[in-house]
C-alpha cells in the first residue's frame, strides 16, 4: 500500500521506535516523562511532517504511511505515538486551513519538533456527546473571547498551541461550534496535568482553563457550521490509525511473549511446549491477522478516496476489542514477569483501554455501524419493493 520510498522511510521509523523509544518507555510508568529532545528526534525522522504538503515544509506522504508509522510507534509506546500524531495532526490542519500569518508564526516550530500541539474537544461534561460542549466563544470588536475548560487532552501538559472547539451559539447546537487556534502560553490560560495510572504520561495528558482568553480574528480556524463537519470528516482517519496502533501493541506483545515461551521452563519444558499455553498465543495471532486485514481495507479505502465511515468504525471496534482481550491473555501468559516495567505488556494493556475511548468510544462506533448498516438494509428493501 505504501510506496517504495515510503517503505524505506518506514524502515527508519521502525528503527527509531525500537532503538530510541522502546528502551525509554519502561521508565515512563515509573515517574519519568519523555524529554523534549525525543520530539525533536521524532521530527528529524519526519514524524511531525508526514501528511503536511511539501510546499509547506512537510513530507507529503500518504495516509497509508501515516497509519503504519503510528502502528510502529505504538508497538514501542502508545502514549508517545498519540503525542506525536496529535501534534502532527495540528500542523497538518494549520497547513490546510490557517491564514498565512498564523501559519508563518506556528508551523515551523511544530514541524521542527521544537513545540507540540493539541486538539481540544473534550470537557468534564462533554465527551462522547461532543455537541454538548460548554466552552464559549464570544465575538468582540477585536476578535473573540473564550471561556471554559478542556480536559483529557493529549499533549495539553506541554503544547504551545491548541485547536480549541468552542460554542459560538446556543449550547447543544452543532452549527454553533467553531475551532480556534489558541496560544496556550497566553494570558487567560491555566493548564493542568491529568495524572492517573492509566492516563499514559507519555501522551502528555492534561487540560486547561480559559478565562476571558482573547483570540485574534485571524485565529478563527473553522467558522461555526464548518468545525463540527470537519471533525466528522477527519475522525475516520483517526479511528483507523488508532486501530493500527492496537495492532502494533498486540504484535509487539505477541513477539515478546512468544520469545519468553521459548526461554522460560516449567515442569521441565519450555512454556511453548505446553499445548494449553501455546493455543492462547495461536488465538491471539489469528485475531491479530483479522484486525490487520480490517485496518488494511480501511486504509485502502481512505487512499482510494472512498467513504470509509463503516470500515473505519469496524476496524477500530475490532482492533480495540481484540487488543483489550488479547493483551490481557498475553499479560497472563508471561506470569509475574509481565509486571516488569521493562516489558511493555502492562502499558499496552492500559493503552488498549484508552484506545477504546478516544476518537469514538466502542459504543459510539457500534451505534454508527448499526446506523449505517440499517440504512443500507432499509434502502435495499425499498428498492426491492419498487
Ligand atoms: C488518555 C486520554 C486521552 C484523550 N485525548 C483527547 C484529546 O486529545 N482531545 C480530546 O478532545 N479528547 C481526548 N480524550 C477524551 C476522549 O475523547 C473521551 O474520553 C471520549 O470522547 C469519551 O468521553 P468520556 O470519557 O467523557 O465518556 P462518556 O461520554 O461520559 O461515556 C462514558 C461511557 O459511556 C459510554 N456511552 C456514552 N454515551 C453512550 C450511549 N449513548 N450509548 C451507550 N454507551 C454510551 C461510552 O462509550 C463510555 O464507555 C482523551 C481521553 C483519554 C482517556
Amino acid at each position: 500500500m505504501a510506496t517504495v520510498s515510503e517503505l524505506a522511510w518506514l524502515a527508519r521509523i521502525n528503527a527509531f521506535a525500537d532503538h530510541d523509544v522502546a528502551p525509554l518507555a519502561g521508565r515512563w510508568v515509573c515517574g519519568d516523562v519523555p524529554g523534549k529532545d525525543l520530539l525533536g528526534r521524532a521530527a528529524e525522522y519526519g514524524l511531525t511532517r508526514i501528511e503536511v504538503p511539501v510546499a509547506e515544509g512537510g513530507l507529503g506522504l500518504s495516509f497509508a504511511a501515516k497509519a503504519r508509522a503510528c502502528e510502529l510507534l505504538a508497538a514501542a509506546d502508545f502514549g508517545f505515538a498519540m503525542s506525536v500524531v496529535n501534534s502532527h495532526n495540528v500542523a497538518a490542519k494549520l497547513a490546510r486551513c490557517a491564514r498565512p500569518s498564523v501559519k508563518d508564526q506556528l508551523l515551523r516550530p511544530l514541524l521542527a519538533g521544537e513545540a507540540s500541539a493539541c486538539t481540544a474537544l473534550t470537557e468534564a461534561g462533554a465527551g462522547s456527546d461532543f455537541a454538548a460542549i460548554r466552552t464559549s466563544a464570544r465575538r468582540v470588536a477585536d476578535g473573540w473571547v473564550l471561556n471554559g475548560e478542556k480536559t483529557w487532552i493529549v499533549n495539553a501538559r506541554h503544547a504551545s498551541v491548541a485547536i480549541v472547539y468552542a460554542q459560538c451559539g446556543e449550547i447543544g447546537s452543532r452549527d454553533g461550534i467553531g475551532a480556534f487556534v489558541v496560544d496556550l502560553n497566553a494570558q487567560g490560560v491555566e493548564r493542568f496535568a491529568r495524572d492517573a495510572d492509566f492516563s499514559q504520561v507519555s501522551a502528555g495528558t492534561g487540560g486547561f482553563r480559559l478565562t476571558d482568553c482573547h483570540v485574534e480574528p485571524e485565529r478563527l480556524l473553522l467558522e461555526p457550521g464548518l468545525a463540527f463537519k470537519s471533525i466528522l470528516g477527519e475522525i475516520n482517519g483517526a479511528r483507523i490509525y488508532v486501530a493500527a496502533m492496537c495492532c502494533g501493541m498486540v504484535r509487539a506483545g505477541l513477539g515478546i511473549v512468544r520469545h519468553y515461551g521459548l526461554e522460560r521452563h516449567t515442569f521441565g519444558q519450555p512454556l511453548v511446549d505446553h499445548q494449553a499455553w501455546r493455543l492462547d498465543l495461536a488465538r491471539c495471532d489469528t485475531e491479530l491477522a483479522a484486525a490487520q486485514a480490517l485496518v488494511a481495507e480501511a486504509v485502502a479505502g481512505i487512499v482510494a478516496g472512498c467513504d470509509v465511515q463503516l470500515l473505519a468504525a469496524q476496524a477500530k471496534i475490532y482492533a480495540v476489542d481484540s487488543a483489550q482481550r488479547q493483551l490481557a491473555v498475553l499479560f497472563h501468559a508471561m506470569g509475574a514477569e509481565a509486571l516488569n516495567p521493562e516489558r511493555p505488556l502492562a502499558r499496552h494493556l492500559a493503552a488498549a483501554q484508552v484506545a477504546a475511548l478516544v476518537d469514538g468510544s466502542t459504543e459510539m462506533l457500534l451505534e454508527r455501524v448499526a446506523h449505517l448498516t440499517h440504512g443500507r438494509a432499509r434502502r435495499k428493501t425499498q428498492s426491492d419493493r419498487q
Side-chain angles (χ1 to χ4, degrees):
M1 183 57 60
T3 64
V4 173
S5 63
E6 285 176 342
L7 288 174
W9 177 75
L10 286 163
R12 292 197 293 280
I13 300 307
N14 194 20
F16 170 68
D18 274 2
H19 302 138
D20 294 47
V21 182
L24 298 176
R27 293 193 229 143
W28 300 335
V29 284
C30 300
D32 272 14
V33 289
K36 254 191 124 181
D37 56 315
L38 196 60
L39 180 61
R41 293 274 293 141
E44 284 168 20
Y45 282 90
L47 284 162
T48 50
R49 293 179 285 144
I50 310 172
E51 286 183 309
V52 177
V54 175
E56 302 281 2
L59 298 182
L61 299 182
S62 69
F63 179 78
K66 174 182 173 178
R68 177 72 178 145
C70 287
E71 199 247 271
L72 294 170
L73 280 183
D77 188 74
F78 176 86
F80 183 70
M82 285 293 275
S83 172
V84 172
V85 75
N86 272 270
S87 207
H88 161 275
N89 290 348
V90 172
K93 191 153 183 157
L94 293 178
R96 271 198 319 276
C97 313
R99 305 267 176 88
S101 61
V102 177
K103 276 196 242 184
D104 286 349
Q105 251 182 317
L106 300 177
L107 213 46
R108 198 208 55 79
L110 290 181
L111 298 185
E114 293 163 8
S116 63
C118 60
T119 299
L121 296 88
T122 303
E123 300 175 2
S128 308
D129 185 7
F130 165 49
I133 58 168
R134 288 177 166 267
T135 294
S136 66
R138 183 167 46 88
R139 201 188 279 274
V140 290
D142 57 348
W144 297 83
V145 172
L146 268 60
N147 279 286
E149 186 170 312
K150 297 292 180 182
T151 190
W152 293 116
I153 308 299
V154 167
N155 288 343
R157 290 175 197 224
H158 45 68
S160 60
V161 62
I163 297 180
V164 174
Y165 288 78
Q167 183 55 266
C168 309
E170 297 294 312
I171 290 168
S173 155
R174 294 177 171 200
D175 287 343
I177 295 174
F180 298 83
V181 181
V182 175
D183 175 354
L184 290 184
N185 296 314
Q187 222 183 347
V189 183
E190 191 190 341
R191 70 174 92 215
F192 50 88
R194 293 289 332 213
D195 284 315
D197 288 353
F198 268 38
S199 75
Q200 307 288 303
V201 167
S202 51
T205 316
F208 50 85
R209 261 178 294 282
L210 302 167
T211 311
D212 291 334
C213 175
H214 181 262
V215 176
E216 293 87 23
E218 64 271 22
R219 287 186 172 227
L220 170 63
L221 189 67
L222 293 166
E223 302 267 350
L226 294 181
F228 195 89
K229 285 192 191 113
S230 134
I231 281 285
L232 292 187
E234 288 159 19
I235 207 155
N236 291 317
R239 286 170 185 167
I240 297 167
Y241 70 63
V242 171
M245 288 177 175
C246 286
C247 292
M249 292 190 290
V250 173
R251 179 178 55 74
L254 192 53
I256 287 163
V257 175
R258 191 176 277 132
H259 186 74
Y260 188 71
L262 293 170
E263 292 189 336
R264 174 76 172 177
H265 285 64
T266 65
F267 302 96
Q269 50 184 357
L271 283 173
V272 73
D273 287 346
H274 297 293
Q275 190 182 47
W277 190 89
R278 65 173 184 256
L279 293 189
D280 276 346
L281 269 66
R283 186 178 301 281
C284 178
D285 223 343
T286 307
E287 284 200 17
L288 175 61
Q292 286 170 328
L294 278 173
V295 169
E297 197 182 346
V299 168
I302 287 230
V303 172
C306 304
D307 177 353
V308 293
Q309 273 188 81
L310 183 60
L311 281 174
Q314 288 175 329
K316 183 168 184 275
I317 291 166
Y318 187 80
V320 167
D321 254 9
S322 173
Q324 286 178 298
R325 264 194 321 275
Q326 296 304 340
L327 286 165
V329 170
L330 292 170
F331 185 91
H332 183 74
M334 212 166 183
E337 176 60 19
L339 290 160
N340 182 342
E342 283 166 25
R343 308 289 193 180
L345 287 163
R347 258 184 307 121
H348 286 352
L349 190 52
Q353 296 301 122
V354 172
L357 291 172
V358 295
D359 299 309
S361 72
T362 301
E363 288 71 25
M364 294 298 104
L365 296 183
L366 286 166
E367 277 291 339
R368 191 96 294 262
V369 170
H371 175 78
L372 292 167
T373 49
H374 287 161
R376 264 184 205 173
R378 205 168 282 144
R379 279 193 298 279
K380 170 133 187 14
T381 314
Q382 277 163 359
S383 75
D384 287 350
R385 281 202 197 117
Q386 282 163 7

